[in-house]
Coordinates of all heavy atoms in Angstrom, one line a residue:
P1 N 33.1 -70.1 -11.8 CA 32.8 -68.9 -12.7 C 31.5 -68.3 -12.5 O 30.5 -69.0 -12.3 CB 32.8 -69.5 -14.0 CG 33.5 -71.0 -13.9 CD 33.3 -71.2 -12.4
V2 N 31.6 -67.0 -12.4 CA 30.3 -66.2 -12.2 C 29.4 -66.2 -13.4 O 30.1 -66.1 -14.5 CB 30.7 -64.8 -11.7 CG1 29.4 -63.9 -11.5 CG2 31.5 -64.8 -10.5
G3 N 28.2 -66.4 -13.2 CA 27.2 -66.3 -14.4 C 27.1 -67.6 -15.2 O 26.6 -67.7 -16.2
L4 N 27.6 -68.8 -14.6 CA 27.5 -70.1 -15.2 C 26.0 -70.3 -15.3 O 25.6 -71.0 -16.4 CB 28.2 -71.1 -14.4 CG 28.3 -72.5 -15.0 CD1 29.1 -72.4 -16.3 CD2 29.0 -73.4 -14.1
G5 N 25.2 -70.1 -14.5 CA 23.7 -70.3 -14.5 C 23.2 -69.5 -15.8 O 22.2 -70.1 -16.4
K6 N 23.7 -68.4 -16.1 CA 23.1 -67.7 -17.2 C 23.5 -68.2 -18.5 O 22.8 -68.3 -19.5 CB 23.6 -66.1 -17.1 CG 23.2 -65.5 -15.9 CD 22.7 -64.0 -15.9 CE 22.5 -63.3 -14.8 NZ 21.4 -63.9 -14.0
H7 N 24.8 -68.7 -18.5 CA 25.2 -69.4 -19.7 C 24.4 -70.7 -20.0 O 24.2 -71.2 -21.1 CB 26.7 -69.8 -19.6 CG 27.5 -68.5 -19.7 ND1 27.7 -67.7 -20.8 CD2 28.5 -68.0 -18.7 CE1 28.6 -66.8 -20.5 NE2 28.9 -67.0 -19.3
K8 N 24.1 -71.4 -18.9 CA 23.3 -72.7 -18.9 C 21.9 -72.2 -19.5 O 21.4 -73.0 -20.4 CB 23.1 -73.2 -17.5 CG 22.1 -74.3 -17.5 CD 21.8 -74.7 -16.1 CE 21.1 -73.6 -15.3 NZ 19.7 -73.8 -15.1
T9 N 21.3 -71.2 -19.0 CA 20.1 -70.8 -19.6 C 20.0 -70.4 -21.1 O 19.2 -70.9 -21.9 CB 19.4 -69.5 -18.8 OG1 19.4 -69.9 -17.4 CG2 18.1 -69.1 -19.2
V10 N 21.1 -69.7 -21.5 CA 21.2 -69.4 -22.8 C 21.5 -70.6 -23.7 O 20.8 -70.7 -24.8 CB 22.4 -68.4 -23.1 CG1 22.7 -68.3 -24.6 CG2 22.1 -67.1 -22.6
S11 N 22.3 -71.6 -23.2 CA 22.3 -72.9 -24.0 C 21.1 -73.6 -24.0 O 20.8 -74.3 -25.1 CB 23.5 -73.8 -23.3 OG 23.1 -74.2 -22.1
Q12 N 20.2 -73.7 -23.0 CA 19.0 -74.3 -23.1 C 18.0 -73.7 -24.0 O 17.3 -74.2 -24.8 CB 18.3 -74.2 -21.6 CG 19.0 -75.2 -20.6 CD 18.5 -75.1 -19.3 OE1 18.0 -74.2 -18.9 NE2 18.8 -76.2 -18.5
I13 N 18.0 -72.3 -24.1 CA 17.3 -71.5 -25.2 C 17.7 -72.0 -26.5 O 16.9 -72.1 -27.4 CB 17.3 -70.1 -24.9 CG1 16.6 -69.6 -23.6 CG2 16.8 -69.4 -26.1 CD1 16.7 -68.3 -23.0
G14 N 19.1 -72.1 -26.7 CA 19.7 -72.5 -28.0 C 19.1 -73.8 -28.5 O 18.7 -74.0 -29.7
I15 N 19.0 -74.8 -27.6 CA 18.5 -76.2 -28.0 C 17.1 -76.1 -28.3 O 16.6 -76.7 -29.2 CB 18.9 -77.3 -26.9 CG1 18.5 -78.6 -27.4 CG2 18.2 -76.9 -25.6 CD1 19.2 -79.0 -28.6
L16 N 16.3 -75.3 -27.5 CA 14.9 -75.1 -27.9 C 14.6 -74.6 -29.2 O 13.9 -75.0 -30.2 CB 14.2 -74.2 -26.9 CG 13.9 -74.9 -25.5 CD1 13.3 -73.8 -24.6 CD2 12.9 -76.0 -25.7
L17 N 15.5 -73.5 -29.7 CA 15.4 -72.9 -30.9 C 15.9 -74.0 -32.0 O 15.2 -74.0 -33.1 CB 16.3 -71.7 -31.0 CG 15.9 -70.5 -30.2 CD1 16.9 -69.4 -30.2 CD2 14.4 -70.0 -30.7
A18 N 16.8 -74.7 -31.7 CA 17.3 -75.6 -32.8 C 16.2 -76.8 -32.9 O 16.1 -77.2 -34.1 CB 18.6 -76.4 -32.2
V19 N 15.6 -77.2 -31.9 CA 14.6 -78.2 -32.0 C 13.4 -77.6 -32.7 O 12.8 -78.3 -33.6 CB 14.1 -78.8 -30.7 CG1 12.9 -79.7 -30.7 CG2 15.3 -79.6 -30.1
W20 N 12.9 -76.5 -32.4 CA 11.9 -75.8 -33.1 C 12.2 -75.6 -34.6 O 11.3 -75.8 -35.5 CB 11.5 -74.5 -32.5 CG 10.7 -74.6 -31.3 CD1 9.9 -75.7 -30.8 CD2 10.7 -73.6 -30.2 NE1 9.4 -75.4 -29.6 CE2 9.8 -74.2 -29.2 CE3 11.3 -72.4 -30.0 CZ2 9.5 -73.5 -28.0 CZ3 10.9 -71.7 -28.8 CH2 10.1 -72.3 -27.8
W21 N 13.4 -75.3 -34.9 CA 13.8 -75.2 -36.3 C 13.6 -76.5 -37.0 O 13.3 -76.5 -38.2 CB 15.2 -74.5 -36.3 CG 15.6 -74.2 -37.7 CD1 16.1 -75.1 -38.7 CD2 15.6 -73.0 -38.4 NE1 16.4 -74.4 -39.9 CE2 15.9 -73.1 -39.7 CE3 15.2 -71.6 -37.9 CZ2 16.0 -72.1 -40.6 CZ3 15.1 -70.6 -38.8 CH2 15.6 -70.8 -40.2
M22 N 14.2 -77.6 -36.4 CA 14.2 -78.9 -37.1 C 12.8 -79.3 -37.4 O 12.4 -79.8 -38.3 CB 14.9 -79.9 -36.2 CG 16.3 -79.8 -36.3 SD 17.3 -81.2 -35.6 CE 16.2 -82.0 -34.4
A23 N 11.9 -78.9 -36.4 CA 10.5 -79.3 -36.5 C 9.7 -78.5 -37.6 O 8.9 -79.1 -38.3 CB 9.7 -79.1 -35.1
S24 N 10.1 -77.2 -37.9 CA 9.4 -76.4 -39.0 C 10.4 -76.3 -40.1 O 10.0 -75.4 -41.0 CB 9.2 -75.3 -38.3 OG 10.3 -74.4 -38.0
D25 N 11.5 -77.0 -40.3 CA 12.3 -76.8 -41.4 C 11.7 -76.9 -42.8 O 11.9 -76.1 -43.6 CB 13.5 -77.8 -41.2 CG 14.6 -77.6 -42.3 OD1 14.9 -76.4 -42.5 OD2 15.1 -78.7 -42.8
S26 N 10.9 -77.9 -42.9 CA 10.2 -78.0 -44.2 C 9.3 -76.9 -44.5 O 9.0 -76.6 -45.7 CB 9.4 -79.4 -44.2 OG 8.4 -79.3 -43.2
Q27 N 8.7 -76.1 -43.6 CA 7.9 -75.1 -43.9 C 8.5 -73.8 -44.3 O 7.9 -72.9 -44.9 CB 7.0 -74.8 -42.6 CG 6.1 -76.0 -42.3 CD 5.4 -75.7 -40.9 OE1 5.6 -74.8 -40.3 NE2 4.6 -76.8 -40.6
W28 N 9.9 -73.7 -44.1 CA 10.5 -72.5 -44.3 C 11.0 -72.5 -45.8 O 11.6 -71.4 -46.2 CB 11.9 -72.4 -43.4 CG 11.5 -71.9 -42.0 CD1 10.9 -72.7 -41.1 CD2 11.7 -70.7 -41.5 NE1 10.7 -72.0 -39.9 CE2 11.1 -70.8 -40.2 CE3 12.2 -69.5 -41.9 CZ2 11.2 -69.6 -39.3 CZ3 12.3 -68.4 -41.1 CH2 11.7 -68.4 -39.8
G29 N 11.1 -73.6 -46.4 CA 11.4 -73.7 -48.0 C 12.8 -73.3 -48.2 O 13.8 -73.8 -47.5
S30 N 13.1 -72.5 -49.2 CA 14.4 -72.3 -49.7 C 15.2 -71.4 -48.7 O 16.5 -71.6 -48.8 CB 14.4 -71.5 -51.1 OG 13.7 -70.3 -50.9
F31 N 14.6 -70.6 -47.8 CA 15.4 -69.9 -46.9 C 16.1 -70.8 -45.9 O 17.2 -70.7 -45.7 CB 14.5 -68.9 -46.1 CG 15.1 -68.2 -45.1 CD1 16.0 -67.3 -45.3 CD2 14.9 -68.6 -43.7 CE1 16.7 -66.5 -44.3 CE2 15.7 -67.8 -42.6 CZ 16.5 -66.8 -43.0
A32 N 15.4 -71.9 -45.4 CA 15.9 -72.9 -44.5 C 17.1 -73.6 -45.2 O 18.1 -73.9 -44.6 CB 14.9 -73.9 -44.0
Q33 N 16.9 -73.9 -46.4 CA 18.0 -74.6 -47.2 C 19.2 -73.8 -47.4 O 20.3 -74.2 -47.3 CB 17.4 -75.2 -48.6 CG 16.5 -76.3 -48.4 CD 17.1 -77.5 -47.8 OE1 18.2 -77.7 -48.0 NE2 16.4 -78.0 -46.8
A34 N 19.0 -72.4 -47.5 CA 20.1 -71.5 -47.7 C 20.8 -71.3 -46.5 O 22.1 -71.2 -46.4 CB 19.7 -70.2 -48.2
V35 N 20.2 -71.3 -45.3 CA 20.9 -71.0 -44.0 C 21.3 -72.4 -43.4 O 22.5 -72.5 -43.0 CB 19.8 -70.5 -43.0 CG1 20.5 -70.2 -41.7 CG2 19.4 -69.0 -43.6
F36 N 20.6 -73.5 -43.3 CA 20.9 -74.7 -42.6 C 20.9 -75.9 -43.5 O 20.8 -77.1 -43.1 CB 20.0 -75.0 -41.4 CG 20.3 -74.1 -40.2 CD1 19.4 -73.1 -39.8 CD2 21.4 -74.3 -39.5 CE1 19.9 -72.4 -38.6 CE2 21.8 -73.5 -38.4 CZ 21.0 -72.5 -37.9
G37 N 20.9 -75.6 -44.7 CA 20.8 -76.7 -45.7 C 22.1 -77.4 -45.9 O 22.2 -78.5 -46.6
W38 N 23.2 -77.0 -45.4 CA 24.5 -77.7 -45.5 C 24.6 -79.0 -44.7 O 23.9 -79.1 -43.9 CB 25.7 -76.7 -45.0 CG 25.7 -75.4 -45.4 CD1 25.2 -74.9 -46.6 CD2 26.1 -74.3 -44.7 NE1 25.4 -73.5 -46.7 CE2 25.8 -73.2 -45.5 CE3 26.5 -74.0 -43.4 CZ2 26.1 -71.9 -45.1 CZ3 26.8 -72.8 -42.9 CH2 26.6 -71.6 -43.7
K39 N 25.3 -79.9 -45.3 CA 25.5 -81.2 -44.7 C 26.9 -81.5 -44.3 O 27.9 -81.0 -44.9 CB 25.1 -82.3 -45.7 CG 23.5 -82.3 -46.0 CD 23.1 -83.5 -46.7 CE 21.7 -83.3 -47.1 NZ 20.8 -84.0 -46.2
I40 N 27.1 -82.1 -43.1 CA 28.4 -82.3 -42.6 C 28.4 -83.8 -42.2 O 27.5 -84.2 -41.4 CB 28.7 -81.5 -41.2 CG1 28.7 -80.0 -41.6 CG2 30.1 -81.9 -40.7 CD1 28.8 -79.2 -40.2
F41 N 29.2 -84.6 -42.9 CA 29.1 -86.0 -42.7 C 27.9 -86.6 -43.1 O 27.4 -87.6 -42.5 CB 29.7 -86.5 -41.4 CG 31.1 -85.9 -41.0 CD1 31.3 -85.2 -40.0 CD2 32.2 -86.4 -41.7 CE1 32.6 -84.6 -39.7 CE2 33.5 -86.0 -41.5 CZ 33.7 -85.1 -40.4
G42 N 27.2 -86.0 -44.0 CA 25.9 -86.6 -44.5 C 24.6 -86.2 -43.6 O 23.6 -86.5 -44.0
C43 N 24.9 -85.4 -42.5 CA 23.7 -85.0 -41.8 C 23.5 -83.4 -41.8 O 24.5 -82.7 -42.0 CB 24.0 -85.3 -40.3 SG 24.0 -87.0 -39.8
P44 N 22.3 -83.0 -41.7 CA 22.1 -81.5 -41.9 C 22.7 -80.7 -40.7 O 22.9 -81.2 -39.6 CB 20.6 -81.4 -41.8 CG 20.0 -82.7 -42.0 CD 21.1 -83.7 -41.7
L45 N 23.2 -79.5 -41.0 CA 23.9 -78.7 -40.0 C 23.0 -78.5 -38.9 O 23.6 -78.5 -37.7 CB 24.2 -77.4 -40.7 CG 24.9 -76.4 -39.8 CD1 26.3 -76.9 -39.3 CD2 25.1 -75.1 -40.6
I46 N 21.7 -78.4 -39.0 CA 20.9 -78.1 -37.8 C 20.9 -79.3 -36.9 O 20.8 -79.2 -35.7 CB 19.4 -77.8 -38.2 CG1 18.5 -77.3 -37.1 CG2 18.7 -79.0 -39.0 CD1 19.0 -76.0 -36.6
L47 N 21.0 -80.5 -37.4 CA 21.1 -81.6 -36.6 C 22.4 -81.6 -35.7 O 22.4 -81.9 -34.4 CB 21.1 -83.0 -37.4 CG 21.1 -84.3 -36.6 CD1 19.9 -84.4 -35.7 CD2 21.3 -85.4 -37.4
W48 N 23.5 -81.2 -36.3 CA 24.8 -81.1 -35.6 C 24.6 -80.0 -34.5 O 25.1 -80.1 -33.5 CB 25.9 -80.8 -36.5 CG 26.4 -81.9 -37.3 CD1 26.0 -82.2 -38.6 CD2 27.1 -83.0 -37.0 NE1 26.6 -83.4 -39.0 CE2 27.3 -83.9 -38.0 CE3 27.9 -83.3 -35.8 CZ2 28.1 -85.0 -37.9 CZ3 28.6 -84.4 -35.7 CH2 28.7 -85.3 -36.8
F49 N 24.0 -78.8 -35.0 CA 23.9 -77.7 -34.0 C 23.0 -78.2 -32.9 O 23.3 -77.9 -31.6 CB 23.2 -76.5 -34.7 CG 23.0 -75.3 -33.8 CD1 24.0 -74.6 -33.4 CD2 21.7 -75.1 -33.4 CE1 23.8 -73.5 -32.7 CE2 21.5 -74.0 -32.6 CZ 22.5 -73.2 -32.1
S50 N 21.9 -78.9 -33.1 CA 21.0 -79.2 -31.9 C 21.8 -80.3 -31.0 O 21.6 -80.1 -29.8 CB 19.7 -79.9 -32.5 OG 19.9 -81.1 -33.1
E51 N 22.5 -81.2 -31.6 CA 23.2 -82.0 -30.7 C 24.3 -81.4 -29.9 O 24.4 -81.7 -28.6 CB 23.9 -83.2 -31.5 CG 22.9 -84.3 -32.1 CD 22.3 -85.1 -31.0 OE1 23.1 -85.5 -30.0 OE2 21.1 -85.3 -30.9
L52 N 25.0 -80.5 -30.5 CA 26.0 -79.7 -29.8 C 25.4 -78.9 -28.7 O 25.9 -78.9 -27.5 CB 26.8 -78.8 -30.7 CG 27.9 -78.0 -30.0 CD1 29.0 -78.8 -29.4 CD2 28.4 -76.9 -31.0
S53 N 24.3 -78.1 -29.0 CA 23.6 -77.4 -28.0 C 23.1 -78.2 -26.9 O 23.2 -77.9 -25.7 CB 22.5 -76.7 -28.6 OG 22.9 -75.8 -29.7
K54 N 22.6 -79.4 -27.1 CA 22.0 -80.3 -26.1 C 23.2 -80.7 -25.1 O 23.0 -80.6 -24.0 CB 21.4 -81.6 -26.7 CG 21.0 -82.6 -25.7 CD 20.4 -83.8 -26.4 CE 21.4 -84.5 -27.0 NZ 20.9 -85.9 -27.6
W55 N 24.3 -81.1 -25.7 CA 25.4 -81.5 -24.7 C 26.1 -80.4 -24.1 O 26.5 -80.6 -22.9 CB 26.4 -82.4 -25.5 CG 25.8 -83.8 -25.8 CD1 25.4 -84.2 -27.0 CD2 25.4 -84.8 -24.9 NE1 24.8 -85.4 -26.9 CE2 24.8 -85.8 -25.6 CE3 25.6 -84.9 -23.5 CZ2 24.4 -87.0 -25.0 CZ3 25.1 -86.0 -22.8 CH2 24.6 -87.0 -23.6
V56 N 26.1 -79.1 -24.6 CA 26.6 -78.1 -23.9 C 25.6 -77.7 -22.8 O 26.0 -77.4 -21.7 CB 26.6 -76.8 -24.9 CG1 27.0 -75.5 -24.1 CG2 27.9 -77.1 -25.8
A57 N 24.3 -77.8 -23.0 CA 23.4 -77.5 -21.9 C 23.5 -78.5 -20.9 O 23.4 -78.1 -19.7 CB 21.9 -77.5 -22.6
V58 N 23.7 -79.8 -21.2 CA 23.7 -80.8 -20.1 C 25.0 -80.6 -19.3 O 25.1 -80.7 -18.1 CB 23.8 -82.3 -20.8 CG1 24.3 -83.3 -19.8 CG2 22.5 -82.6 -21.4
L59 N 26.2 -80.3 -20.0 CA 27.5 -80.0 -19.3 C 27.3 -78.8 -18.3 O 27.7 -78.9 -17.1 CB 28.6 -79.8 -20.2 CG 29.9 -79.5 -19.6 CD1 30.4 -80.8 -18.8 CD2 30.9 -79.1 -20.7
L60 N 26.6 -77.7 -18.9 CA 26.5 -76.5 -18.1 C 25.6 -76.7 -16.9 O 25.8 -76.2 -15.8 CB 26.1 -75.4 -18.9 CG 27.2 -74.8 -19.9 CD1 26.8 -73.7 -20.8 CD2 28.5 -74.3 -19.1
T61 N 24.5 -77.5 -17.2 CA 23.6 -77.7 -16.1 C 24.3 -78.5 -14.9 O 24.1 -78.3 -13.8 CB 22.3 -78.6 -16.7 OG1 21.7 -77.8 -17.7 CG2 21.3 -78.9 -15.5
F62 N 25.0 -79.6 -15.3 CA 25.8 -80.3 -14.4 C 26.8 -79.4 -13.6 O 26.8 -79.4 -12.4 CB 26.5 -81.5 -15.0 CG 27.3 -82.3 -14.1 CD1 26.7 -83.3 -13.2 CD2 28.7 -82.2 -14.0 CE1 27.6 -84.0 -12.4 CE2 29.6 -83.0 -13.2 CZ 28.8 -83.9 -12.2
L63 N 27.6 -78.8 -14.3 CA 28.6 -77.8 -13.6 C 28.0 -76.8 -12.7 O 28.4 -76.5 -11.6 CB 29.4 -77.2 -14.7 CG 30.4 -78.1 -15.4 CD1 31.1 -77.3 -16.4 CD2 31.4 -78.7 -14.4
S64 N 26.8 -76.2 -13.3 CA 26.1 -75.2 -12.4 C 25.6 -75.8 -11.2 O 25.7 -75.3 -10.1 CB 25.0 -74.7 -13.2 OG 24.3 -73.8 -12.5
G65 N 25.0 -77.0 -11.2 CA 24.5 -77.7 -10.1 C 25.6 -78.0 -9.0 O 25.5 -77.9 -7.9
V66 N 26.8 -78.5 -9.5 CA 27.9 -79.0 -8.7 C 28.4 -77.7 -7.9 O 28.6 -77.8 -6.7 CB 28.9 -79.7 -9.4 CG1 30.3 -79.7 -8.6 CG2 28.5 -81.0 -10.0
L67 N 28.6 -76.5 -8.7 CA 29.1 -75.4 -8.1 C 28.1 -74.8 -7.1 O 28.5 -74.4 -6.0 CB 29.3 -74.4 -9.2 CG 30.7 -74.5 -10.0 CD1 30.8 -73.6 -11.1 CD2 31.9 -74.6 -9.0
Y68 N 26.7 -74.9 -7.4 CA 25.8 -74.5 -6.4 C 25.9 -75.2 -5.1 O 25.9 -74.6 -4.1 CB 24.4 -74.5 -7.1 CG 23.3 -74.1 -6.1 CD1 23.0 -72.7 -6.0 CD2 22.6 -75.0 -5.4 CE1 22.0 -72.3 -5.2 CE2 21.5 -74.6 -4.6 CZ 21.3 -73.3 -4.5 OH 20.3 -73.0 -3.6
L69 N 25.9 -76.5 -5.2 CA 26.0 -77.4 -4.0 C 27.3 -77.1 -3.3 O 27.3 -77.1 -2.1 CB 25.9 -78.9 -4.5 CG 24.5 -79.3 -5.0 CD1 24.6 -80.8 -5.4 CD2 23.4 -79.1 -3.8
W70 N 28.5 -76.9 -4.1 CA 29.7 -76.7 -3.4 C 29.6 -75.3 -2.6 O 30.1 -75.3 -1.5 CB 30.8 -76.7 -4.4 CG 32.2 -76.4 -3.8 CD1 32.9 -75.3 -3.8 CD2 32.9 -77.3 -2.9 NE1 34.0 -75.4 -3.0 CE2 34.1 -76.7 -2.5 CE3 32.7 -78.6 -2.5 CZ2 35.1 -77.3 -1.7 CZ3 33.7 -79.2 -1.7 CH2 34.7 -78.5 -1.3
R71 N 29.2 -74.3 -3.3 CA 29.0 -73.0 -2.7 C 28.3 -72.9 -1.4 O 28.4 -72.2 -0.4 CB 28.7 -71.9 -3.6 CG 29.8 -71.7 -4.6 CD 29.3 -70.6 -5.6 NE 30.2 -70.5 -6.7 CZ 30.0 -70.1 -7.9 NH1 28.7 -69.8 -8.2 NH2 30.8 -69.9 -8.8
N72 N 27.1 -73.8 -1.4 CA 26.2 -73.8 -0.3 C 26.3 -75.0 0.6 O 25.4 -75.3 1.3 CB 24.8 -73.6 -0.9 CG 24.6 -72.3 -1.5 OD1 24.7 -71.3 -1.0 ND2 24.4 -72.4 -2.8
R73 N 27.4 -75.7 0.6 CA 27.6 -76.9 1.4 C 27.3 -76.7 2.8 O 27.0 -77.7 3.5 CB 29.0 -77.6 1.1 CG 30.1 -76.8 1.5 CD 31.4 -77.3 0.9 NE 32.6 -76.6 1.4 CZ 33.0 -75.6 0.7 NH1 32.4 -75.0 -0.3 NH2 34.0 -74.9 1.1
H74 N 27.7 -75.6 3.3 CA 27.5 -75.3 4.7 C 26.0 -75.4 5.2 O 25.6 -75.7 6.2 CB 28.0 -73.9 5.1 CG 27.2 -72.8 4.5 ND1 27.4 -72.5 3.2 CD2 26.4 -71.9 4.9 CE1 26.7 -71.4 2.9 NE2 25.9 -71.1 4.0
L75 N 25.1 -75.2 4.3 CA 23.7 -75.2 4.6 C 23.3 -76.7 4.7 O 22.5 -76.9 5.7 CB 22.8 -74.6 3.4 CG 23.0 -73.1 3.3 CD1 22.3 -72.7 2.1 CD2 22.5 -72.3 4.5
Y76 N 23.7 -77.6 4.0 CA 23.3 -79.0 4.2 C 24.2 -79.8 5.0 O 23.9 -81.0 5.3 CB 22.9 -79.6 2.8 CG 24.0 -79.7 1.8 CD1 24.9 -80.6 1.8 CD2 24.2 -78.6 1.0 CE1 25.9 -80.7 0.8 CE2 25.1 -78.6 0.0 CZ 26.1 -79.7 -0.1 OH 27.0 -79.7 -1.0
L77 N 25.4 -79.3 5.4 CA 26.3 -80.1 6.2 C 26.3 -79.7 7.6 O 26.8 -80.4 8.5 CB 27.8 -79.9 5.6 CG 28.1 -80.4 4.2 CD1 29.5 -80.1 3.9 CD2 27.8 -82.0 4.3
E78 N 25.6 -78.6 8.0 CA 25.6 -78.2 9.4 C 24.7 -79.3 10.1 O 23.8 -79.8 9.7 CB 25.0 -76.8 9.5 CG 23.6 -76.6 9.1 CD 23.2 -75.2 9.2 OE1 24.1 -74.3 9.0 OE2 22.0 -75.0 9.3
E79 N 25.0 -79.4 11.4 CA 24.2 -80.2 12.3 C 22.8 -79.6 12.6 O 22.7 -78.4 12.6 CB 25.0 -80.3 13.7 CG 26.2 -81.0 13.6 CD 26.2 -82.5 13.2 OE1 25.2 -83.2 13.7 OE2 27.1 -83.0 12.5
C80 N 21.8 -80.5 12.7 CA 20.4 -80.2 12.9 C 20.3 -79.5 14.3 O 20.6 -79.8 15.3 CB 19.5 -81.3 12.7 SG 19.5 -81.8 10.9

């Protein structure tokens, strides 16, 4: 798929934003509670979002790397 690296970058930015939001959640007060105050299975929504973002970024990083190596295999498989 074309643009997989760009999707990977966006997912990495998403995890950074989620982690920053978790770190500063207490400083946002009632606004943070209104937006991300919901709980799913007893955990805050932001925790689920950060975990999902993390694993999406890991998966896209892996797939992007595999596709990059596959497309450029002729460079490292050629005889010296």
Side-chain angles (χ1 to χ4, degrees):
V2 177
L4 191 61
K6 301 216 184 305
H7 293 295
K8 173 192 64 107
T9 302
V10 169
S11 70
Q12 290 171 338
I13 292 169
I15 187 61
L16 284 174
L17 292 174
V19 169
W20 285 336
W21 186 278
M22 283 189 343
S24 65
D25 186 40
S26 62
Q27 298 172 358
W28 284 75
S30 61
F31 177 73
Q33 288 302 316
V35 176
F36 282 114
W38 311 326
K39 293 192 184 257
I40 301 174
F41 300 116
C43 294
L45 178 63
I46 191 64
L47 181 64
W48 288 100
F49 178 74
S50 65
E51 283 296 313
L52 177 65
S53 297
K54 176 179 68 174
W55 288 109
V56 167
V58 167
L59 178 67
L60 290 176
T61 300
F62 177 76
L63 289 176
S64 176
V66 167
L67 286 174
Y68 178 82
L69 290 174
W70 180 254
R71 289 180 186 150
N72 295 297
R73 64 189 179 277
H74 65 282
L75 295 174
Y76 57 87
L77 292 177
E78 68 184 23
E79 296 292 325
C80 292

